[in-house]
Structure formats: C-alpha cells, structure tokens
Amino acid sequence: MSRRTFFNYFASKENAVLGIAARTDISDLDDAFLASRGDVLDAGDVLDALAELHIARWERMDMSPAEVPALVAAFTRAPQLVQHLLDIAAIGEREDAALVARREGWAEDDPRAAIAVQLITALIRPTVSEYFAGTGEDFRTVMMRKLAIARAFFAA
C-alpha cells in the first residue's frame, strides 16, 4: 500500500495500530446529542445525554472483548501508543466540553461543561474494563449502572 493510500485511511501509524480511522464520521451522533436538549426536564439531562453519546460512539466502534489481547500486545510492544491514546482522549474531552456548552447554551469555557464531560469520561474506563472482562452485559447496561451509582453518591 502506498503512503498516500495509507494516510487516506489513517491519520497516523499509531491510529492504524489502534484501529482509529481517519474518516470516521460521527457528526450524526453529535447532531443527535445537540438536538436532545429539552427531551428530559431535569438536572441530569446533560449527563444522560452525554452518556448516550458515548454509548453510541462505543457501539459505532464495534470493538469486542476478543480484540483486547491484540490491543494489549500492541501497548506492550509500543508503550508510546498509550500516550497517543491519552492525547486523543484529551482532545476528545475538550471537543466534548465545547459540544456540551453549545447544547446547553453556555459559554464555551463554562466549567460545568468540562465537569459534565469529566464525570462521564471517569465512568468510561471502568465500564470498558468491566465490558472487556466478559460479564455478558452490553456496554450500555454497564455504563448506565455506573452512572446510577455515581448519582447515588451525589444524592447522598
């Protein structure tokens, strides 16, 4: 495969190893998130909508527990991939905070947007771990259970 063809499909070699396509269009998911404003009239609305956005993104990736050993092996052979993944996640968090602010009609630097994103992304890591542990539950079920547990802590 030529370099030009390769980079039509992947933004970098690291993205290729991680399976992150260059032209993955998720704008429809972002649009659905923006349009969901007002569907539920409670304070948790933005967290529910943000959780649904991340669930939809996960489902779009279509990654199964069977793929984990190859991913772990890639991280072991090339530890710089971990930093690359963290960098991508940080960019995604900033973009998501801007999306939340836009949905809610807040200023782009409103700390509530960043906190909402941080709360949901904090639940993603243990959700992914539990999902890949092969409990038999789908990603949505695990994520929503973890969100309910987090809400119970805040409600206390």
Side-chain angles (χ1 to χ4, degrees):
M1 174 184 294
S2 75
R3 287 180 60 87
R4 182 175 179 176
T5 301
F6 178 86
F7 288 109
N8 280 336
Y9 291 95
F10 299 99
S12 68
K13 291 181 284 184
E14 293 83 5
N15 284 17
V17 170
L18 295 171
I20 302 169
R23 297 180 188 210
T24 303
D25 183 11
I26 58 166
S27 61
D28 61 316
L29 302 178
D30 292 350
D31 291 344
F33 172 76
L34 291 171
S36 70
R37 174 84 170 114
D39 288 351
V40 180
L41 299 175
D42 65 41
D45 178 36
V46 69
L47 293 178
D48 289 331
L50 197 51
E52 289 295 337
L53 174 62
H54 281 276
I55 291 165
R57 288 174 179 169
W58 179 265
E59 290 170 348
R60 183 77 54 94
M61 274 192 332
D62 195 31
M63 183 179 282
S64 73
E67 297 173 71
V68 172
L71 196 55
V72 169
F75 286 135
T76 301
R77 282 192 308 272
Q80 71 274 15
L81 289 175
V82 174
Q83 185 59 53
H84 183 73
L85 192 58
L86 291 173
D87 292 344
I88 290 171
I91 291 166
E93 283 187 23
R94 286 191 299 273
E95 290 172 350
D96 284 349
L99 197 64
V100 168
R102 189 168 148 211
R103 178 185 185 268
E104 298 302 309
W106 299 335
E108 193 167 315
D109 62 347
D110 190 308
R112 294 175 295 178
I115 290 170
V117 170
Q118 291 162 359
L119 287 169
I120 294 301
T121 57
L123 299 176
I124 291 173
R125 187 176 48 86
T127 298
V128 169
S129 294
E130 188 173 328
Y131 172 75
F132 282 144
T135 61
E137 292 183 307
D138 63 17
F139 189 85
R140 171 182 300 282
T141 301
V142 177
M143 179 67 174
M144 295 312 281
R145 183 176 61 251
K146 295 207 179 297
L147 180 55
I149 292 167
R151 279 201 166 107
F153 274 109
F154 287 117

